[in-house]
Amino acid sequence: MKLGIINSAFSQAGVDTVTGLEHIARIGFDSVDIFTEPSMLSAEEISRIGNLCESKSLPILSLPVVAIGLIDFNDPVRDYHIERCKNFIDLAAQWGAGNILLVLGEYIWQREVIGPEDQWRWGLESCRILGDYADSKGIDIALELEPFRLSLLNSIDEMSRFVSECDHPRVRANIDISHLVLADNGPEEVAKLAGQAIHVHISDCDGKVHGDLPPGRGVVKFAPYLQAIKELNIDGAVSIELEYSPDPARIVEWVEEAYTETARLMEQVGLRG
């Protein structure tokens, strides 16, 4: 698998997109995931980003998108987010990416008032529509597992159930290692996503709350998870997810540290290649 990073590590520290991508290429990453908003990019900027990544031999593999409105109880809200996600799919195709990384929302009002089964159904319906559109563009949809109590997809079992019930060849799963730890899903459960998972995120945490720290800064024991992921034979990337650095002025060192440790961990299990 390739060793990549989501470029938001730099953008959230106030570093412009091009400079961040230049750092990512210099450090030695194999690929990059671009966190952006297509409607806010000019055609010139889209071309500039694509050309830069091509010139740096830094393929764009994934475009993360948070679209919590896909399970909203209002039809116009769901329709808006479906169209918004289609814009991400179009941009992914233009950049030659493999997937959009889709974050669904949480059950509203503590699973009261609006039946949770309805929100689950709206999620399935929205993902099938997007799956059909993605298929026409040659793009996959990788769903994110969020380890929060009310998240729609908050465990391996719920993720696997959703992908199975969606029953669309373009709608698959992302594996986020620190999210699995926070969801109390051990490495032995990763095998449940065989044939479903297509992308991987890696970061560390304190075992209690969402962290997005460089590996080695928290308590996650990565080797068993990476070995389990290796056994899935995913043709994709392990992308580092670093968000909200505690010291934005030292973001370059923060990313370099994450790269070095992740490369070591992947080499340890023979996963990078």
Side-chain angles (χ1 to χ4, degrees):
M1 297 185 73
K2 291 180 171 60
L3 170 50
I5 187 171
I6 306 174
N7 75 316
S8 55
F10 284 105
S11 62
Q12 290 183 353
V15 179
D16 68 89
T17 299
V18 169
T19 301
L21 290 172
E22 288 174 340
H23 279 303
I24 288 168
R26 175 190 58 79
I27 290 168
F29 286 95
D30 305 320
S31 62
V32 66
D33 300 352
I34 303 288
F35 189 88
T36 188
E37 186 65 45
S39 64
M40 298 177 67
L41 292 179
S42 66
E44 180 182 4
E45 189 169 4
I46 289 172
S47 179
R48 185 160 56 118
I49 292 170
N51 290 339
L52 175 63
C53 288
E54 184 175 359
S55 70
K56 298 291 186 180
S57 298
L58 187 69
I60 300 169
L61 293 194
S62 181
L63 275 63
V65 51
V66 178
I68 59 178
L70 290 174
I71 59 171
D72 194 273
F73 62 95
N74 296 289
D75 292 353
V77 175
R78 295 200 304 279
D79 291 343
Y80 168 81
H81 281 279
I82 286 171
E83 293 306 310
R84 176 169 167 261
C85 288
K86 286 181 179 179
N87 291 336
F88 276 85
I89 292 168
D90 289 339
L91 184 56
Q94 186 171 345
W95 278 338
N99 68 71
I100 66 166
L101 191 289
L102 180 57
V103 181
L104 295 178
E106 299 186 350
Y107 291 109
I108 195 171
W109 296 322
Q110 301 184 124
R111 296 168 57 97
E112 302 170 19
V113 186
I114 303 297
E117 64 278 0
D118 289 327
Q119 289 189 268
W120 184 270
R121 174 171 53 81
W122 292 326
L124 290 173
E125 291 171 355
S126 296
C127 284
R128 289 182 188 126
I129 292 169
L130 291 174
D132 285 344
Y133 188 77
D135 189 52
S136 73
K137 302 290 183 174
I139 300 296
D140 288 320
I141 297 170
L143 298 169
E144 178 80 312
L145 186 157
E146 296 281 10
F148 311 115
R149 184 172 61 88
L150 292 178
S151 293
L152 203 73
L153 307 178
N154 64 2
S155 70
I156 284 179
D157 285 341
E158 289 297 271
M159 173 67 79
S160 184
R161 179 167 78 94
F162 188 92
V163 173
S164 295
E165 291 184 12
C166 190
D167 194 26
H168 196 292
R170 288 292 184 178
V171 180
R172 314 291 283 282
N174 177 65
I175 297 173
D176 188 308
I177 296 175
S178 70
H179 290 186
L180 296 187
V181 171
L182 293 169
D184 292 325
N185 286 151
E188 71 283 354
E189 296 183 74
V190 170
K192 295 178 181 179
L193 295 176
Q196 296 181 330
I198 58 172
H199 199 64
V200 175
H201 286 171
I202 186 169
S203 62
D204 215 332
C205 67
D206 65 3
K208 299 176 182 178
V209 298
H210 194 268
D212 285 345
L213 304 171
R217 290 265 182 167
V219 302
V220 176
K221 299 185 188 308
F222 289 99
Y225 285 99
L226 291 172
Q227 180 61 43
I229 289 167
K230 179 183 179 181
E231 292 169 6
L232 296 182
N233 293 313
I234 299 173
D235 182 17
V238 175
S239 293
I240 297 172
E241 183 175 15
L242 301 178
E243 311 244 334
Y244 306 105
S245 168
D247 187 357
R250 300 187 64 187
I251 188 60
V252 174
E253 293 94 328
W254 193 249
V255 172
E256 289 174 337
E257 175 187 332
Y259 172 84
T260 299
E261 181 61 16
T262 304
R264 184 190 70 79
L265 289 166
M266 291 179 71
E267 178 67 25
Q268 181 179 329
V269 299
L271 184 55
R272 189 177 183 185

